[in-house]
Structures are given as C-alpha cells and as structure tokens.
Amino acid sequence: MMGMIPLLIIVIIVIGILVFSTRTRNKMVHKKGKFSYSQRVYWLLSGYVVILLICLILNAVQPVKIMDGLKKVNTADLERESLNLYDAAVEGSINQEGSKFLRKKWNFNYQGQQLNLAVIQDENIDAMVVVEKKNNNDGKIEAEFYQTRSSYNGMDITELANLPGMELAGDQLTLLNPKRSEIKFSQFGNTFNIKQFTGEPSLFSEHHSEFSGGQRIIYLRIPKDLELNYPENLNLQFVE
Amino acid sequence: MSLTKVSLIDIVKKQYVYKLKAYSQVFISLIFIQLLAVFFSLNGVGGGGISSGSIQINVSYFSADFVVAFTMLWGFITAIVITTKTYRIDDFIFVTNRASSNLSNMVFLLIASVIGGITAMLSTNLIKVIVYYFKSDFALKSTTVMDMPMEFLIGIFSTILYVFLFCALGYLVGTLVQISKVFAVLLPAAFLGGLIFDGLSGKTGVIAKVLGFYFTESSLALFIVKIIMTAGLLFIGAFALSNRREVRT
C-alpha cells in the first residue's frame, strides 16, 4: 500500500493539469490571430509527431554504434581462459602461454636484500600475486599484470576496466588497486501492452544478468636471493 | 417545420468536424502529459547493479509504460470533460439531438484515442534517444521498429484500444455525473474503497479481477473482442442514460 502513494500523487498532479488545461479553454478559443487557436494546436501536434518521428529515425540509424560497441563473448571460453592462465602462472610458464593476456609491465632496478610488498591500508588487492624467483641475482624486479577477458551478459568488458598500479619507494613495493570504473548500461523493454501478447516476462521480474570477472594476476620476477615480506592477507603464491 | 431533411450521418459528420476544432485543446494536454510521462520514464522503471573488484556495473531498465498509462488516464479525463455542460451546449449550434451529439462525441474520442495511441508508442523513441545520447554508456538488447515492425504495430493498436476503453469508461462516468452530482463523490469513493478493501483483505478483489480480464489477455483476437464489446456496452449505457436527461439542461 505504501508504494502506491507516490503513484497516487503523480496521478493527482496529472488530473490537476488536465482539468486546469481544459478550464482555460473558453478564454483561449476565441483568440484571433493569423491562425485560429485550433489551427495552432494542430500545428503544435504535428510538430510533436515530427519530433517523435525524427527520434524513430535516429534510433533506427544510430544505435548500431552503441550496440556493437562491445564484442560478444562466450562465457565458457572465458572460464577456460581463466583456469589456463592460473595454471600457467603457478607453473611459471605464464610468459609463453599467457602472453596475449599481458596488459601492463613494470621494471624496477633494486639492489637491496629485502623487499616489503605492501598494499594501501585496509585495501584488498583485486588480483592474485604470483612470485617467481629467478636463477640469478641481476638486481632487477620485473612485474607484469595479466588479465583474462571479463564479460557482462555475454559482452566483452575487459577494455573498460582500469589497470592496477605499482610504486617502488625505498625497500617497499606498493601495489595499487585500479581506479574504480563504473559502467552504465541501459536496457529497453517493450511496454506492458506489447508484452501481454508476446509473452515476455515483465521488466520488474526479469533481472537475469551474468557477470564473469576474469582472472587477474600480478606476476613478479625477483632476484634469486631477495627476501620478500608481504602482508598475510595478500593472496600470494610462489611458482612451484 | 423545415423543408430540408437532414440525415443523422450528415449531422454527426458536421458536429464531429466542429468538435475536432473546438476541442482541440485536449491535444495540448496530451502532449503535455506524454512529455511529463517521458520525463518520469527517464529515471528508469527498474535497475540493478553488480560490483566486482574494481568494476561497478549499473543497469537501468527503461520502457514507455508510464506514457501508455498516462495516455489512458488522459483518455479517461478527456471523455469526462467533453460531457460537461460547457461542451455539451456547443452541440446546440447545430441541428442536434442526443443521438447525433453522442455519436459525434464517440467518433471524436475514437480519433483522439488513435492520436494518443500512436504518439504514446512513438514516444518510446524519444526516451531512447535521450537515454542513448545523454545517460548511458552502452545499451543492451534493444529492438528498433525495423527489427520488430509487428510488435510496434501491436503496440500502437493495443494502446489505441486501451485508450478508447478508458474514453468509454470516462464517457459513462461523465454522463452519470451530469445526471446527478452524487456520482462525482460516489464513484471515486467506490473505486478507492474497493482498492483499499482489496489491499487490506490481501486477496485478488473485484477491481484486480476486472483489470486482469483485460491486462492479462494474451490473445490479440480475444483482447480486441473484449475491448470492443466493453467499450460498446459502456457507450450504449451512456447513450441510454443521456436520453433520460431533460431537454437542454
């Protein structure tokens, strides 16, 4: 019942407008101008219809750009990709098998004996960290970010996500979460009087959506003897 | 006594043409109401969101439901308005009787329903254009008239019928109110009372059943029959009642 109240208010406003607009009729109807009042009304009505028709044409021509803006993907493929990348990462073969998912690369020169891996306080890094120890001590830290494709309702949204960052200061390497990206989708449905005959479910009941986040891996290659300290809550794994 | 004989159809035609001019302001309110409904629709009729890691996805659902509903309301009120005294007296400009007056009103309401129905369905495009260009990043599953011409036609046709049904209802209500002002209080009270009673009892009451009779009909043919029969009965009721009125009240 409470949900009805705003609706009722709207209905009352509408009725008020309708009644008010018809009350003014008698004053308006005898106005003489170049065109009579009724002629002006029909001009206005025609103008309104023309605007609606222009919108119809704009929609028929233009939305191609909007709808084809995102590639279609198969969710099953994404699952497989994601698992394969994980396997490749923990086996240390990510630079061969995962090369097409490489999104970003960092190189740091580092001569210290210890490295503290850190995240900004109270944040969880939205990726898994995999560390590979190199065979030698070349004084270089190589970091790579891999990400498999992610999708929403079968559309590829990988490119819309921002990339994480990394900063080396002193003996601390800080992992930075990507800037939050917000994507607005709009979905149009038929009006109730069409759905009634086509048997489509109502927009209110149909909220079927599917999201696949994709695998995100930060891969670090560090010198053989570098000692790595990291916070406990970090999802970190060493290459076997 | 007059030497010229005029047929009923001639008079109806004349009165109807006159009414299209004299009642033209109802179309101003139509445009206004539909634009208001479009404005309300821009908030979306529903929405949802998913957030994962650093991605936040918001989905808004849009449809022209408001426009169709408001247009039905417009039809209802327009029909009431043209039964009021100021409008009724207009008919006496012509040679008239109750039958020609009622028939020309009905034809006028039919034309008004057609205009209302077509513009209501077209307004979906106005909502789409505004949302596409100003509000959202991406649009999901959307069809244009080119993809689904049949759905568009069904939409126009069923909206016209719905608006006409509400016109017929409004016309009967208006006629009743003209007979006795008691109905102006009684009818809304009965309707609201029915709604509240249904709401309190928690069962599908009479009003819900009556609405369901039209709004859940999934066969277009049956729907057409139902609407035309009901609208016909409502108009016949109104015609019969208006014949009981005094001469030129």
Side-chain angles (χ1 to χ4, degrees):
Chain A
M1 276 313 272
M2 289 307 281
M4 295 278 289
I5 291 171
L7 209 63
L8 269 178
I9 294 172
I10 291 172
V11 168
I12 290 167
I13 293 172
V14 170
I15 293 175
I17 290 165
L18 284 173
V19 172
F20 181 77
S21 66
T22 48
R23 280 282 154 83
T24 54
R25 157 186 185 253
N26 287 335
K27 288 177 218 154
M28 303 291 283
V29 91
H30 302 296
K31 246 188 198 170
K32 292 280 174 208
K34 199 178 171 190
F35 297 104
S36 72
Y37 178 72
S38 69
Q39 249 173 322
R40 270 178 283 166
V41 170
Y42 287 109
W43 276 112
L44 200 65
L45 187 65
S46 317
Y48 178 59
V49 173
V50 167
I51 290 173
L52 293 180
L53 287 174
I54 290 172
C55 290
L56 180 107
I57 294 164
L58 276 179
N59 279 324
V61 180
Q62 192 64 23
V64 179
K65 164 201 123 198
I66 303 163
M67 282 190 286
D68 292 353
L70 294 174
K71 267 184 297 191
K72 289 274 165 208
V73 285
N74 181 343
T75 324
D77 289 348
L78 298 190
E79 300 268 307
R80 206 170 330 112
E81 264 176 32
S82 156
L83 286 174
N84 288 347
L85 186 71
Y86 174 80
D87 289 344
V90 292
E91 283 162 10
S93 57
I94 198 163
N95 51 358
Q96 296 107 47
E97 287 168 41
S99 58
K100 64 173 172 171
F101 300 120
L102 180 63
R103 308 276 175 214
K104 203 173 175 181
K105 242 180 144 159
W106 298 264
N107 280 306
F108 303 104
N109 285 320
Y110 190 71
Q111 303 300 337
Q113 297 299 306
Q114 275 202 350
L115 178 70
N116 295 316
L117 211 52
V119 293
I120 290 176
Q121 214 176 359
D122 296 332
E123 266 193 22
N124 283 316
I125 282 292
D126 179 31
M128 187 185 157
V129 182
V130 179
V131 182
E132 179 191 335
K133 291 213 165 186
K134 291 191 259 193
N135 295 326
N136 53 353
N137 288 314
D138 58 357
K140 279 186 184 133
I141 298 171
E142 293 153 37
E144 286 161 349
F145 176 67
Y146 293 88
Q147 186 186 23
T148 61
R149 290 178 294 169
S150 49
S151 77
Y152 176 72
N153 279 3
M155 286 173 302
D156 190 343
I157 55 167
T158 320
E159 299 297 319
L160 303 174
N162 292 319
L163 297 172
M166 219 174 272
E167 266 171 13
L168 183 68
D171 62 351
Q172 181 163 309
L173 181 65
T174 312
L175 305 178
L176 304 164
N177 262 326
K179 217 175 90 213
R180 204 174 175 79
S181 43
E182 199 183 328
I183 313 162
K184 279 189 269 178
F185 285 102
S186 58
Q187 183 163 17
F188 278 87
N190 279 327
T191 49
F192 61 87
N193 55 328
I194 299 178
K195 286 190 191 141
Q196 183 178 350
F197 304 111
T198 57
E200 291 168 74
S202 143
L203 266 188
F204 298 101
S205 61
E206 164 209 40
H207 286 288
H208 172 75
S209 56
E210 155 198 64
F211 178 73
S212 159
Q215 184 73 257
R216 280 189 285 272
I217 293 175
I218 293 172
Y219 197 83
L220 295 175
R221 267 186 215 93
I222 57 172
K224 193 169 87 176
D225 294 326
L226 182 68
E227 197 184 316
L228 191 68
N229 304 315
Y230 54 92
E232 270 177 22
N233 63 351
L234 192 66
N235 181 7
L236 185 141
Q237 223 172 329
F238 285 93
V239 171
E240 288 151 8
Chain B
M1 198 176 143
S2 166
L3 288 175
T4 40
K5 264 202 168 170
V6 276
S7 72
L8 180 65
I9 293 172
D10 278 341
I11 301 172
V12 170
K13 215 188 269 173
K14 267 190 195 142
Q15 283 187 351
Y16 153 72
V17 170
Y18 165 78
K19 278 172 186 177
L20 266 189
K21 284 199 180 120
Y23 300 174
S24 62
Q25 84 291 338
V26 302
F27 297 113
I28 298 282
S29 44
L30 174 72
I31 297 173
F32 198 84
I33 287 302
Q34 289 193 343
L35 290 179
L36 189 71
V38 166
F39 177 73
F40 283 130
S41 306
L42 292 179
N43 266 331
V45 291
I50 295 178
S51 153
S52 157
S54 55
I55 297 187
Q56 160 91 40
I57 295 172
N58 290 322
V59 193
S60 306
Y61 301 92
F62 296 92
S63 86
D65 282 355
F66 272 136
V67 187
V68 175
F70 278 27
T71 307
M72 280 151 69
L73 190 65
W74 167 82
F76 180 72
I77 292 167
T78 299
I80 293 181
V81 164
I82 67 169
T83 61
T84 55
K85 201 169 175 183
T86 29
Y87 285 78
R88 230 170 44 234
I89 287 173
D90 287 347
D91 288 342
F92 293 103
I93 295 170
F94 299 94
V95 176
T96 189
N97 59 20
R98 298 262 183 256
S100 70
S101 168
N102 279 325
L103 278 174
S104 59
N105 277 341
M106 194 178 89
V107 177
F108 173 76
L109 288 176
L110 184 63
I111 296 296
S113 306
V114 170
I115 293 174
I118 292 173
T119 49
M121 272 294 117
L122 283 176
S123 73
T124 310
N125 294 292
L126 182 59
I127 301 174
K128 275 187 187 174
V129 165
I130 297 174
V131 170
Y132 283 154
Y133 290 92
F134 303 106
K135 285 197 75 162
S136 81
D137 304 331
F138 298 98
L140 299 173
K141 186 191 129 197
S142 170
T143 52
T144 60
V145 184
M146 311 303 175
D147 311 323
M148 294 281 180
M150 267 321 281
E151 280 191 4
F152 186 67
L153 289 180
I154 289 175
I156 288 184
F157 192 62
S158 58
T159 312
I160 292 172
L161 285 175
Y162 270 132
V163 177
F164 189 60
L165 177 70
F166 276 80
C167 283
L169 186 65
Y171 198 70
L172 180 67
V173 169
T175 310
L176 279 171
V177 171
Q178 291 311 308
I179 288 172
S180 170
K181 294 279 181 265
V182 175
F183 287 109
V185 183
L186 210 61
L187 292 174
F191 180 72
L192 280 179
L195 272 187
I196 292 168
F197 186 73
D198 284 0
L200 289 181
S201 66
K203 281 179 283 187
T204 30
V206 182
I207 291 169
K209 273 183 191 152
V210 170
L211 291 178
F213 181 69
Y214 304 101
F215 287 89
T216 58
E217 177 56 64
S218 57
S219 147
L220 188 61
L222 268 179
F223 174 78
I224 295 169
V225 172
K226 279 179 180 180
I227 298 269
I228 290 177
M229 293 285 276
T230 318
L233 285 175
L234 290 168
F235 273 115
I236 288 169
F239 291 4
L241 284 167
S242 69
N243 272 333
R244 293 169 53 89
R245 274 207 314 259
E246 298 285 319
V247 177
R248 187 159 183 184
T249 47

